[in-house]
Every structure is written in structure tokens, then in C-alpha cells.
Amino acid sequence: MATTLDGDVATLTVTGELTEEARRPLVRAVTDLLLAGTPLHRVRLDTRGVDYLNSAGMAVLVQLQKLGQPRGVELVLVDPPPAVARPLQLSGLWLRFPVDEG
């Protein structure tokens, strides 16, 4: 996972599998960004390199979204591949997340 900050927008790049193992590093990264003192407007989660998403990974996405909500920070999925989009669509969570096509 890599993190970049551009003004009030942070981008987290995730590769591989988005499962329970991704929870701790992702939650830590978002928490650190929120506590850093730099006002954030949006966290972009670049999922183009994700090749597998299970229910635990979906729970991580919801948790990340809930972390930012009290501060008005939007979680956006960047160009999600079918391995991410399809499980979210089937679970009904797809409409919960804004999508940035690139």
C-alpha cells in the first residue's frame, strides 16, 4: 500500500487481495491522515491493482467510509476493477461508494 497527499485529497493505492489482512494497514493509514492536522476533503482508494475482494474486504471499505464521515471526508473508489466492483454490486454496497474513473 502506498499513500500520497495532494492538497486536501489523499490517495491510498492498494494492490493484491482486499481481505481481513488489509484492515489494520488501511485503517491505520486513514486514521493517521485524519489525525495529521491537514484538512482532508477526500480519500481516494485506488483499487486498480486489487485482484480479489471478499466480505471482510467489503467490511473494511465500509469501516474506512465511516471513519471519514464525522469529519466530512469522502471515500472514493478509483477505477475499481471487476474483482472489486462485482462483489460490491452483488452485495448492494456499490451505490454506497462514489467512483472516480481515473
Side-chain angles (χ1 to χ4, degrees):
M1 182 182 65
T3 304
T4 58
L5 188 59
D6 184 16
D8 65 351
V9 177
T11 301
L12 301 175
T13 303
V14 182
T15 58
E17 297 183 349
L18 189 46
T19 61
E20 178 63 31
E21 284 74 35
R23 178 182 305 276
R24 181 168 281 141
L26 281 170
V27 168
R28 179 173 297 152
V30 171
T31 301
D32 289 348
L33 286 166
L34 293 172
L35 296 176
T38 305
L40 282 180
H41 171 69
R42 174 176 288 165
V43 173
R44 299 172 75 239
L45 191 62
D46 186 343
T47 58
R48 290 177 282 195
V50 174
D51 54 21
Y52 179 73
L53 172 70
N54 66 9
S55 60
M58 287 186 270
V60 171
L61 294 178
V62 171
Q63 182 178 5
L64 295 177
Q65 187 180 54
K66 287 182 177 183
L67 280 174
Q69 280 177 341
R71 291 187 165 95
V73 178
E74 179 181 48
L75 178 71
V76 177
L77 301 180
V78 177
D79 200 16
V84 173
R86 191 70 179 136
L88 289 173
Q89 290 165 345
L90 291 172
S91 69
L93 291 172
W94 178 249
L95 297 176
R96 183 177 181 132
F97 298 99
V99 174
D100 182 350
E101 294 298 331

